[in-house]
Amino acid sequence: MRIVVTNCNTTRSMTDEIVRGARAAAAPGTTITGLTPAWGPESAEGWLDSYLSAAAVLDTLRGHREPYDAVVLAGFGEHGREGARELVATPVIDITEAAAHLACLLGRRYGVITTLDRTRGQIEDSLHTAGVAQNCAAVVGTGLGVLDLGDERRTTEAFLTAAVRARDAGAEVLVLGCAGMTGLQRTVGERLGMPVVDGVGAAVKLAESLIALDLATSRSGGYARPLPKRRSWSAPA
Amino acid sequence: MRIVVTNCNTTRSMTDEIVRGARAAAAPGTTITGLTPAWGPESAEGWLDSYLSAAAVLDTLRGHREPYDAVVLAGFGEHGREGARELVATPVIDITEAAAHLACLLGRRYGVITTLDRTRGQIEDSLHTAGVAQNCAAVVGTGLGVLDLGDERRTTEAFLTAAVRARDAGAEVLVLGCAGMTGLQRTVGERLGMPVVDGVGAAVKLAESLIALDLATSRSGGYARPLPKRRSWSAPA
Amino acid sequence: MRIVVTNCNTTRSMTDEIVRGARAAAAPGTTITGLTPAWGPESAEGWLDSYLSAAAVLDTLRGHREPYDAVVLAGFGEHGREGARELVATPVIDITEAAAHLACLLGRRYGVITTLDRTRGQIEDSLHTAGVAQNCAAVVGTGLGVLDLGDERRTTEAFLTAAVRARDAGAEVLVLGCAGMTGLQRTVGERLGMPVVDGVGAAVKLAESLIALDLATSRSGGYARPLPKRRSWSAPA
Amino acid sequence: MRIVVTNCNTTRSMTDEIVRGARAAAAPGTTITGLTPAWGPESAEGWLDSYLSAAAVLDTLRGHREPYDAVVLAGFGEHGREGARELVATPVIDITEAAAHLACLLGRRYGVITTLDRTRGQIEDSLHTAGVAQNCAAVVGTGLGVLDLGDERRTTEAFLTAAVRARDAGAEVLVLGCAGMTGLQRTVGERLGMPVVDGVGAAVKLAESLIALDLATSRSGGYARPLPKRRSWSAPA
Amino acid sequence: MRIVVTNCNTTRSMTDEIVRGARAAAAPGTTITGLTPAWGPESAEGWLDSYLSAAAVLDTLRGHREPYDAVVLAGFGEHGREGARELVATPVIDITEAAAHLACLLGRRYGVITTLDRTRGQIEDSLHTAGVAQNCAAVVGTGLGVLDLGDERRTTEAFLTAAVRARDAGAEVLVLGCAGMTGLQRTVGERLGMPVVDGVGAAVKLAESLIALDLATSRSGGYARPLPKRRSWSAPA
Amino acid sequence: MRIVVTNCNTTRSMTDEIVRGARAAAAPGTTITGLTPAWGPESAEGWLDSYLSAAAVLDTLRGHREPYDAVVLAGFGEHGREGARELVATPVIDITEAAAHLACLLGRRYGVITTLDRTRGQIEDSLHTAGVAQNCAAVVGTGLGVLDLGDERRTTEAFLTAAVRARDAGAEVLVLGCAGMTGLQRTVGERLGMPVVDGVGAAVKLAESLIALDLATSRSGGYARPLPKRRSWSAPA
């Protein structure tokens, strides 16, 4: 199986980190190809970034000519999911929904721990439109920006604090609400004695599942293929 | 008051039609400036178009240097609203939410009549995230594409048929779910004896209302101004 | 445009205060006429008062013979809105819904700050039936009665305390849940750096908007004109 | 036990019919006293009537000096319930909520069959605020006015037609959405093979239940006793 | 009237306590018969116990040959309710729903105080499927096991602490979320000045009400009588 | 990986059919062991059967001594899921939730096609408590009993008819609401041009996913291991 994983921002080191997480989760026969948008924000932290990222990721997929069997969108809470479902011929899995789907199987309520508080609204909306918001007990921000996650000790402490707040709000399972934080999964889980779901790994397994079951995106309704028409993807020079 | 109205697609004739509708609704002292994105889809009909349109509209607003007091986003059910709220210093009104807000004041339930059935999901999501979905009885498609609306008789008949379905689903008020259909408002309303709300006019009045009351977008939560960072708005040449 | 504003209680000084707020919000060509019910409670603070007020306000509107273009019901969270929509020929705007509609345009979640805690249930119900409860994060009482609002310093402190609770519950925009508190709007907003919506001003602008757009209450469903029948509005002598 | 049953309109013959139904349901030791408002509408069919009725019924209860143990409000979908809970010292049961509570015990979904279509909104709101709307599959109007119910054959046919629509919408239990239709209960139930709940009987049994269990309205929140203040219940002469 | 009350566990002393509570609530002509399952858990505290208990209670009812007019299921939050509705010819009332129905009549929001925190999910689900979850403000655990309730002082203190938490979450009425705690009802109610509903008493009164009104479980939908087929109720020897 | 699949009834041929479906979906290294309860109903069609089945399946799992890595519960809409999560040390996947989780990834709304209409309520409740009901457009019965599914032509026609009803209600993806119907999946999908999800296959892939990601049921809340106590699983001889 050939899975394409798209980063939602232009930072290649983050794509590399995402690809490492995806490969760790992939089955033996699965190949992972990471794509970094050639344009867009260097990190997605807010609505403006998210809409810019959505168009850039769709443009990236549009231009990707190698064959593949599924797409994983590796931007937690970012826009574009439904557009990718229209655009590409294969199943599309967003890491936001993927983590939530698996979390629902492990406990009665789950909580999402994410970076900046300002991204909470996007995540809540994304879970809602994906149909899995009901059992989400809380989306909690750590106050850390995407590009601040390098300081491991500070990051761990911030995520533990947020995780305790999610647990107090009723969460029995935690979701890491940011791509590229695979290391945190083990630490937070062990310290709190709760399962922690990473969206990238979850999405890879769901993508493999759909491929194996030969299930494809429905074309009978909202995700019909795009109508042929003039579309320009950047301002004229 | 100076209101900027953004078309969601690159078709200038549609911008002109939108501007005509906006001016018809505007108060004497209000000036309307229409903006047409330099890139994006020629019409927005589906998720891919909508995300492409969102980035193009945000890019258009980013580059607009003339002063203004409010922005009206004239794409029914299209994405980008929250990004525009972050980006610009003035209030932002989306015609989707605007029509729904006024419709709630006129009857117990409202229905939306729109173009292609495939856009229904986007409209439902947009009403939900705007907080006004509860009293929406139905979103009904006419099966007409955005650029097919030129044939007046056919368009009117299609909208009347859809309107009857919305009424049978409980709607007491109708919302025209497409920009640039101002003419239909009167015809459909008279034939069915129901108030019909056009989003462009509604958004202009709500924009004037916020300006008059000196109310601005909250910066204390999800709509804080965008963080300074590298963002590129198109692929490198 | 001629807007009639009804106080929900028999206290004329409160009508005067409401009229002042309405005039401050009105467009140049708009005239504001305040009506004080000849019967009912001296202040509306609870369900009994609210139902008594509803009948008295409807009786007041029934007896008002001067022509007008819209009605603003200036009782926050009070009953009667739908009855007025049936009764009068013009649009009817309730300050509760009006404030919520505008608040939804300014932030992702809003909070209502009101007087006595006992009125919270009525406000929640009124927002729900108006279709705008979804994005309400909290309705918070200050513990002050309607007629205690004269002590400005105490009132301001109590509202600031309640506003902080609403913000902590997720509100990004505040709504003043009581008519006649126009002064508080600026103070609370400046101290907390959040937009604050006053229902009276909001309702006046929405009323002007509906009049300008020539939109009237739907008669095709629940707000059909009252059936002719015997109704007596007070006990026989 | 002494139960006071209030008609919501001024038509004494309807009070008599309600009292008959209440007595048929009452336990041996229970006495039923019917009260007819001295003012208000001759029948309650719409929002204006309902708010007028609410004040008249509260005024009626305010003036009733004989001791009693519970109040039954016999206006289906009419306002005033929460005001009566504040006002009187005993439990208060509204026939709308009473029928719904018992219906929930008899099947997975229930449907309400009522008179004019215009009253559906009030009933839906009343069920919602009472906390029992979730399992209501439909509220269906018969098109008959309250005072048209005398023609037994026509009434029966209209209710059967409406009942079939409710059943098709998923109802397994029917609720008669109007006081004074006790006769219909048996006919409709037998013809459709479904249990049919009459609100008056249901409310009498729930009132007896609360009295027997010595349960009283909570005063710790929204139903605290009314504050002492000036209230006038009719216009000055 | 003859009411059968089933304990959800095999502990006879708890059946006795439940029967005492039921008899205290019953009308003069009502006889109460307590049934203790011959198999199942000694106490029901969690999902495994609840499903085991459901089958054992259904087996108990299946084997009960004496005539009766209604069944009360005296396991708070336990499964089996809908199965009993299918199985027996009479009305079936679960103490969970019964307490919630009466609580809705006494205040705007109610709270449930129960034993171990682990049972909260079952109670929430049971209230939801019964259609009465909307006005539940909180389900609060005391941390006490079912068989720990013997220490009266400790039990009372634990319930008072939990009750205060429920009140702070908005509850105006309390529900005792465990059978066999009839004594606590008075103590907690008096200390907090709030009505406290015991499910066993509530269910007895609702059962008597349905019997008196001659209302039976609907057979037209989900609660049709079980299909004839082979069912074995225990492993072959 | 070793996955145990439990049939919900005592019919071995159905277990065989389920095991065939599970093996068809399983990855190369996965072994499937089918378990048939030694007691319970011969088919599960209604609430009584479902509760009886739940206890029998839990008893079956309790007695299964071979090591395994995950459990798949192959009863569509049947009870017991949360009890199995408490009981066994491995992840537990119910085919109801599994099919819904994957369906959400393939279209905006899904519909369930099931056997008898009487089982619809159980399925709706099961989807709700699993947290995936939001995007379910309809649960449609075919009128066929579980043991009637042998007649292939009749079964296919009945499922196609039901599928069209689900599509008309908004479904873009179909879920086969019964175990052991793997053949239907292809036929219905091809005839309607919609993806069709079979719960058994979906559950096997989700089980493999959780095992691969080393994710286990949370023990920090409602799914803590059962308390040690006396439990008897059948009536004393």
Side-chain angles (χ1 to χ4, degrees):
Chain A
M1 298 173 183
R2 299 156 299 181
I3 299 178
V4 162
V5 181
T6 57
N7 184 3
C8 64
N9 60 47
T10 58
T11 303
R12 277 175 201 284
S13 60
M14 195 165 286
T15 311
D16 295 344
E17 175 70 14
I18 291 165
V19 167
R20 265 193 296 277
R23 286 190 179 136
T30 299
T31 61
I32 303 290
T33 304
L35 298 183
T36 310
W39 54 290
E42 65 177 331
S43 65
E45 296 167 310
W47 298 97
L48 180 72
D49 289 349
S50 189
Y51 285 119
L52 175 56
S53 164
V57 166
L58 291 169
D59 194 26
T60 304
L61 284 169
R62 198 173 63 96
H64 187 63
R65 302 290 176 212
E66 304 299 318
Y68 54 86
D69 301 305
V71 170
V72 166
L73 300 175
F76 203 93
E78 307 311 338
H79 286 84
R81 175 173 62 205
E82 299 88 354
R85 290 213 167 108
E86 279 187 355
L87 178 65
V88 308
T90 71
V92 172
I93 313 283
D94 164 26
I95 61 170
T96 324
E97 62 189 351
H101 282 296
L102 294 196
C104 285
L105 300 171
L106 302 171
R108 187 172 160 79
R109 295 285 181 270
Y110 67 92
V112 179
I113 329 169
T114 189
T115 51
L116 298 180
D117 274 307
R118 68 183 299 157
T119 68
R120 290 170 51 204
Q122 292 167 245
I123 294 171
E124 291 167 4
D125 285 359
S126 183
L127 294 171
H128 176 80
T129 54
V132 285
Q134 178 189 291
N135 286 0
C136 180
V139 179
V140 182
T142 57
L144 297 180
V146 170
L147 302 181
D148 294 339
L149 302 179
D151 179 342
E152 194 179 316
R153 179 193 296 228
R154 185 175 159 222
T155 301
T156 303
E157 288 312 310
F159 272 77
L160 280 169
T161 302
V164 168
R165 285 178 51 205
R167 191 185 59 189
D168 291 348
E172 301 179 3
V173 182
L174 297 172
V175 163
L176 286 185
C178 183
M181 306 192 304
T182 313
L184 276 171
Q185 193 182 359
R186 187 170 304 273
T187 316
V188 174
E190 281 172 5
R191 292 270 282 273
L192 292 179
M194 296 166 75
V196 180
V197 184
D198 172 54
V200 173
V204 167
K205 299 320 281 183
L206 287 173
E208 290 175 343
S209 297
L210 295 181
I211 297 168
L213 295 171
D214 202 16
L215 287 168
T217 300
S218 175
R219 301 298 172 193
S220 78
Y223 299 145
R225 300 305 298 267
L227 298 173
K229 67 175 64 168
R230 270 177 310 215
R231 293 179 182 90
S232 74
W233 288 82
S234 63
Chain B
M1 299 174 183
R2 298 156 301 180
I3 299 179
V4 162
V5 180
T6 57
N7 184 4
C8 65
N9 60 46
T10 58
T11 303
R12 275 173 202 285
S13 61
M14 195 165 286
T15 311
D16 295 343
E17 174 71 12
I18 290 166
V19 166
R20 266 194 295 278
R23 285 189 181 137
T30 299
T31 62
I32 302 290
T33 303
L35 298 183
T36 309
W39 55 291
E42 64 176 332
S43 65
E45 295 167 310
W47 299 97
L48 180 72
D49 290 349
S50 190
Y51 286 120
L52 175 56
S53 165
V57 166
L58 292 169
D59 194 26
T60 304
L61 283 170
R62 199 175 63 98
H64 187 63
R65 301 291 178 213
E66 304 299 316
Y68 53 86
D69 302 305
V71 170
V72 165
L73 300 175
F76 204 93
E78 307 311 338
H79 285 84
R81 176 173 62 205
E82 300 86 354
R85 290 213 167 109
E86 277 187 358
L87 178 66
V88 307
T90 71
V92 171
I93 314 283
D94 164 27
I95 62 169
T96 325
E97 62 188 352
H101 281 296
L102 294 197
C104 285
L105 301 171
L106 302 171
R108 186 171 162 79
R109 294 287 181 268
Y110 67 92
V112 178
I113 327 168
T114 188
T115 51
L116 299 180
D117 273 309
R118 69 185 297 157
T119 66
R120 290 170 50 206
Q122 293 166 246
I123 293 171
E124 290 167 5
D125 285 359
S126 183
L127 293 171
H128 176 81
T129 54
V132 284
Q134 178 190 291
N135 287 359
C136 180
V139 179
V140 182
T142 57
L144 297 179
V146 170
L147 302 181
D148 295 338
L149 303 178
D151 180 340
E152 195 178 316
R153 179 192 297 229
R154 185 176 158 222
T155 301
T156 302
E157 287 313 310
F159 272 77
L160 280 169
T161 302
V164 168
R165 287 178 51 205
R167 189 186 62 188
D168 291 349
E172 301 178 2
V173 182
L174 297 172
V175 163
L176 287 185
C178 183
M181 305 193 303
T182 313
L184 277 171
Q185 193 181 0
R186 186 170 305 271
T187 315
V188 174
E190 281 171 4
R191 293 271 282 273
L192 292 179
M194 296 166 75
V196 180
V197 184
D198 172 54
V200 173
V204 166
K205 300 320 281 183
L206 287 173
E208 289 175 343
S209 296
L210 295 182
I211 297 169
L213 295 171
D214 203 16
L215 287 168
T217 300
S218 176
R219 301 299 171 191
S220 79
Y223 298 146
R225 300 304 298 268
L227 298 173
K229 68 175 62 168
R230 270 176 309 214
R231 294 178 182 91
S232 74
W233 288 81
S234 63
Chain C
M1 298 173 182
R2 298 156 301 180
I3 299 177
V4 161
V5 181
T6 57
N7 184 5
C8 65
N9 60 47
T10 57
T11 303
R12 278 174 199 284
S13 59
M14 195 166 284
T15 312
D16 295 343
E17 174 70 13
I18 290 167
V19 167
R20 266 193 296 277
R23 285 188 180 138
T30 299
T31 60
I32 302 290
T33 303
L35 298 184
T36 308
W39 53 291
E42 64 177 330
S43 65
E45 295 166 311
W47 298 97
L48 179 72
D49 290 349
S50 189
Y51 286 119
L52 174 57
S53 164
V57 166
L58 291 169
D59 193 27
T60 305
L61 284 170
R62 197 173 64 97
H64 186 61
R65 301 292 177 211
E66 304 299 318
Y68 53 87
D69 301 304
V71 170
V72 166
L73 301 174
F76 204 92
E78 307 311 338
H79 286 83
R81 177 173 60 205
E82 300 87 355
R85 289 213 167 109
E86 279 187 357
L87 177 66
V88 307
T90 71
V92 172
I93 314 283
D94 164 27
I95 62 170
T96 325
E97 63 189 350
H101 281 296
L102 294 197
C104 285
L105 300 172
L106 301 171
R108 188 172 160 79
R109 295 287 180 271
Y110 67 90
V112 178
I113 327 168
T114 188
T115 52
L116 298 180
D117 273 308
R118 69 184 297 157
T119 67
R120 291 171 50 205
Q122 293 166 246
I123 293 172
E124 291 167 5
D125 285 0
S126 183
L127 294 171
H128 176 80
T129 53
V132 285
Q134 178 190 290
N135 287 0
C136 179
V139 178
V140 182
T142 56
L144 298 179
V146 170
L147 302 180
D148 295 339
L149 302 179
D151 180 340
E152 194 178 314
R153 180 192 295 227
R154 185 175 159 222
T155 302
T156 303
E157 287 313 309
F159 272 77
L160 280 170
T161 301
V164 168
R165 285 177 53 203
R167 191 186 60 189
D168 291 349
E172 301 178 3
V173 182
L174 298 172
V175 163
L176 287 185
C178 183
M181 307 192 303
T182 314
L184 276 172
Q185 192 182 1
R186 186 171 303 274
T187 314
V188 173
E190 281 173 4
R191 293 270 283 272
L192 292 179
M194 296 167 76
V196 181
V197 184
D198 172 55
V200 173
V204 167
K205 300 319 283 184
L206 287 173
E208 289 174 344
S209 297
L210 295 181
I211 297 169
L213 295 171
D214 202 17
L215 288 168
T217 300
S218 175
R219 300 300 172 193
S220 78
Y223 300 146
R225 300 305 298 268
L227 298 174
K229 69 175 63 169
R230 269 176 311 214
R231 292 178 183 92
S232 73
W233 288 81
S234 64
Chain D
M1 299 174 185
R2 299 156 300 181
I3 298 179
V4 162
V5 181
T6 57
N7 184 4
C8 65
N9 60 46
T10 57
T11 303
R12 276 175 200 285
S13 60
M14 194 165 288
T15 310
D16 294 343
E17 174 71 13
I18 291 166
V19 166
R20 267 193 295 277
R23 285 190 180 135
T30 298
T31 61
I32 302 289
T33 305
L35 298 183
T36 308
W39 54 291
E42 64 177 330
S43 65
E45 295 167 311
W47 299 97
L48 180 72
D49 289 350
S50 189
Y51 286 120
L52 174 56
S53 165
V57 166
L58 292 169
D59 193 26
T60 305
L61 284 169
R62 197 174 63 97
H64 187 62
R65 301 290 176 214
E66 304 300 316
Y68 53 87
D69 301 304
V71 170
V72 165
L73 299 175
F76 204 93
E78 307 311 338
H79 286 84
R81 176 173 63 204
E82 300 87 354
R85 290 213 166 108
E86 278 187 357
L87 178 65
V88 308
T90 71
V92 171
I93 313 283
D94 164 27
I95 62 170
T96 326
E97 63 189 351
H101 281 297
L102 294 197
C104 285
L105 300 172
L106 301 171
R108 186 173 162 78
R109 295 287 180 268
Y110 67 91
V112 178
I113 328 169
T114 188
T115 52
L116 298 180
D117 273 308
R118 68 184 300 157
T119 66
R120 291 170 51 205
Q122 292 166 245
I123 293 171
E124 290 167 5
D125 285 359
S126 183
L127 293 171
H128 175 80
T129 54
V132 285
Q134 178 190 292
N135 286 1
C136 179
V139 179
V140 182
T142 56
L144 298 179
V146 170
L147 303 180
D148 295 338
L149 302 178
D151 180 340
E152 194 178 316
R153 179 192 296 232
R154 182 175 161 222
T155 300
T156 302
E157 288 313 310
F159 272 77
L160 280 170
T161 302
V164 169
R165 286 177 52 204
R167 189 186 62 188
D168 291 348
E172 302 178 2
V173 182
L174 297 172
V175 163
L176 287 185
C178 183
M181 306 192 302
T182 313
L184 277 171
Q185 193 181 359
R186 185 170 305 272
T187 316
V188 174
E190 280 171 6
R191 293 270 283 273
L192 293 178
M194 296 166 76
V196 180
V197 184
D198 171 55
V200 173
V204 166
K205 300 319 282 184
L206 287 173
E208 289 175 343
S209 296
L210 295 181
I211 298 168
L213 295 171
D214 201 18
L215 287 168
T217 301
S218 176
R219 302 299 173 191
S220 79
Y223 299 145
R225 300 305 297 268
L227 298 173
K229 67 174 63 167
R230 271 176 308 211
R231 294 178 182 90
S232 74
W233 288 82
S234 64
Chain E
M1 298 174 184
R2 300 156 299 181
I3 299 178
V4 161
V5 181
T6 58
N7 184 4
C8 64
N9 60 48
T10 58
T11 303
R12 277 175 200 285
S13 60
M14 195 166 287
T15 311
D16 295 343
E17 174 71 13
I18 291 167
V19 167
R20 265 194 295 278
R23 286 190 178 135
T30 299
T31 61
I32 303 289
T33 304
L35 298 183
T36 308
W39 54 291
E42 65 177 331
S43 64
E45 295 165 313
W47 299 98
L48 180 72
D49 290 348
S50 189
Y51 286 119
L52 174 56
S53 164
V57 166
L58 291 168
D59 193 26
T60 305
L61 284 170
R62 197 173 63 97
H64 187 63
R65 301 290 176 215
E66 304 299 316
Y68 54 86
D69 302 305
V71 170
V72 165
L73 300 175
F76 204 93
E78 306 312 338
H79 286 84
R81 176 174 60 205
E82 300 87 354
R85 290 213 165 108
E86 279 187 355
L87 178 65
V88 308
T90 71
V92 172
I93 314 282
D94 165 26
I95 62 169
T96 325
E97 62 189 351
H101 281 296
L102 294 197
C104 285
L105 300 171
L106 302 171
R108 186 173 162 78
R109 296 286 180 270
Y110 67 91
V112 179
I113 327 170
T114 188
T115 51
L116 298 180
D117 274 307
R118 70 183 298 158
T119 66
R120 290 171 51 205
Q122 292 166 247
I123 294 171
E124 291 167 4
D125 285 359
S126 183
L127 294 171
H128 175 82
T129 54
V132 285
Q134 178 189 290
N135 286 359
C136 179
V139 179
V140 182
T142 57
L144 298 179
V146 170
L147 302 181
D148 295 339
L149 301 179
D151 180 341
E152 193 178 316
R153 180 193 295 227
R154 185 176 160 220
T155 300
T156 301
E157 287 312 311
F159 272 77
L160 280 169
T161 302
V164 168
R165 286 178 52 204
R167 191 185 60 189
D168 291 349
E172 302 178 2
V173 181
L174 297 172
V175 163
L176 287 185
C178 183
M181 306 192 303
T182 313
L184 276 172
Q185 193 182 0
R186 186 171 305 273
T187 315
V188 174
E190 281 172 4
R191 292 272 282 270
L192 292 179
M194 296 166 75
V196 180
V197 184
D198 172 54
V200 173
V204 167
K205 300 319 282 183
L206 288 173
E208 291 175 342
S209 297
L210 296 181
I211 298 168
L213 296 171
D214 201 17
L215 287 168
T217 300
S218 175
R219 300 297 173 194
S220 78
Y223 299 145
R225 299 305 297 267
L227 298 173
K229 67 175 63 168
R230 271 176 310 214
R231 294 179 181 91
S232 75
W233 288 82
S234 64
Chain F
M1 299 173 183
R2 300 157 299 181
I3 299 179
V4 162
V5 181
T6 57
N7 184 4
C8 65
N9 60 48
T10 58
T11 303
R12 276 174 201 285
S13 61
M14 196 166 284
T15 312
D16 295 343
E17 173 72 13
I18 291 166
V19 166
R20 265 194 295 279
R23 286 191 180 136
T30 299
T31 61
I32 302 291
T33 304
L35 298 183
T36 308
W39 54 291
E42 64 176 331
S43 65
E45 296 166 311
W47 298 98
L48 179 72
D49 289 349
S50 190
Y51 286 119
L52 174 56
S53 165
V57 167
L58 291 169
D59 193 26
T60 305
L61 284 170
R62 198 173 63 97
H64 186 62
R65 301 290 177 214
E66 304 300 317
Y68 53 88
D69 302 304
V71 170
V72 165
L73 301 175
F76 204 93
E78 307 312 339
H79 285 84
R81 176 173 61 205
E82 301 87 353
R85 291 216 165 106
E86 278 186 357
L87 178 66
V88 308
T90 72
V92 172
I93 314 282
D94 164 26
I95 62 170
T96 326
E97 63 189 352
H101 282 296
L102 293 197
C104 285
L105 300 172
L106 302 171
R108 185 173 163 79
R109 295 284 180 271
Y110 68 92
V112 178
I113 328 169
T114 188
T115 51
L116 298 179
D117 273 308
R118 68 184 298 158
T119 66
R120 290 170 52 205
Q122 292 167 247
I123 293 172
E124 290 167 5
D125 285 359
S126 183
L127 294 171
H128 176 80
T129 54
V132 284
Q134 178 190 291
N135 287 359
C136 180
V139 179
V140 182
T142 57
L144 298 179
V146 170
L147 301 180
D148 295 338
L149 302 179
D151 180 340
E152 194 178 316
R153 181 193 294 230
R154 183 174 161 225
T155 301
T156 303
E157 289 312 311
F159 272 77
L160 280 169
T161 302
V164 169
R165 285 178 52 206
R167 190 186 61 187
D168 291 348
E172 301 178 2
V173 182
L174 297 171
V175 163
L176 287 185
C178 183
M181 306 193 303
T182 313
L184 277 172
Q185 192 181 0
R186 186 171 306 270
T187 315
V188 174
E190 281 171 5
R191 293 271 283 274
L192 292 179
M194 296 166 75
V196 180
V197 184
D198 172 53
V200 173
V204 167
K205 300 320 281 183
L206 287 173
E208 289 175 343
S209 297
L210 295 182
I211 298 168
L213 295 171
D214 202 17
L215 287 168
T217 300
S218 176
R219 301 299 173 193
S220 78
Y223 299 144
R225 300 304 297 268
L227 298 174
K229 66 175 64 168
R230 271 176 309 214
R231 294 178 182 91
S232 74
W233 288 82
S234 64

